[in-house]
Amino acid sequence: QVQLGESGGGLVQAGGSLRLSCVASGSFIGIGTMAWYRQAPGKQRELVAQTTGGGDSQYTDSVKGRFTISRDNAKNTLYLQMNSLKPEDTAVYYCNARIWRRDAGSRDYWGQGTQVTVSS
């Protein structure tokens, strides 16, 4: 069984910073692309940032220059450093990862989500 566990969310004032973490645990043989998504109330879930196994990263336009995605492959951990936070960044943030399991191929897994609230 594979699980993704997020942490690091919370309440912060506009202009502040938070660092989200996501740890993959369980039985698997490899992790490919990892990503952070977010979903604000009444809105669809959107891709915030993603990073490949080789370290190439992409960001949605609204967070470029403010957010940094990174990963520690030795620790099976994904991070999202969020700086200069704005009220419009308020959402539940979800970790996503493409994970390979022995004799089971690969599929996407999701974390349970962590709430980020930015006050004005």
Side-chain angles (χ1 to χ4, degrees):
Q1 189 173 357
V2 175
Q3 290 185 324
L4 298 179
E6 299 119 331
S7 62
L11 173 64
V12 64
Q13 288 188 331
S17 298
L18 285 174
R19 188 193 194 203
L20 305 183
S21 299
C22 170
V23 180
S25 61
S27 178
F28 53 88
I29 59 175
I31 304 176
T33 297
M34 302 183 80
W36 288 99
Y37 286 75
R38 67 186 179 187
Q39 188 166 18
K43 295 187 177 181
Q44 290 188 331
R45 190 173 297 189
E46 66 168 346
L47 176 64
V48 176
Q50 65 179 22
T51 179
T52 67
D56 294 327
S57 301
Q58 293 180 315
Y59 300 87
T60 191
D61 286 346
S62 62
V63 307
K64 286 180 181 177
R66 300 188 298 122
F67 291 9
T68 302
I69 191 170
S70 62
R71 61 194 288 172
D72 184 334
N73 292 328
K75 296 182 179 179
N76 298 320
T77 301
L78 178 71
Y79 303 99
L80 185 68
Q81 178 66 43
M82 305 185 293
N83 299 328
S84 302
L85 282 161
K86 304 175 180 179
E88 51 264 43
D89 294 318
T90 295
V92 178
Y93 284 71
Y94 296 92
C95 175
N96 170 276
R98 173 60 60 94
I99 293 178
W100 276 261
R101 299 184 65 197
R102 193 178 304 278
D103 298 329
S106 69
R107 72 171 181 90
D108 283 350
Y109 290 82
W110 291 90
Q112 80 285 356
T114 185
Q115 177 70 47
V116 171
T117 302
V118 184
S119 63
S120 57

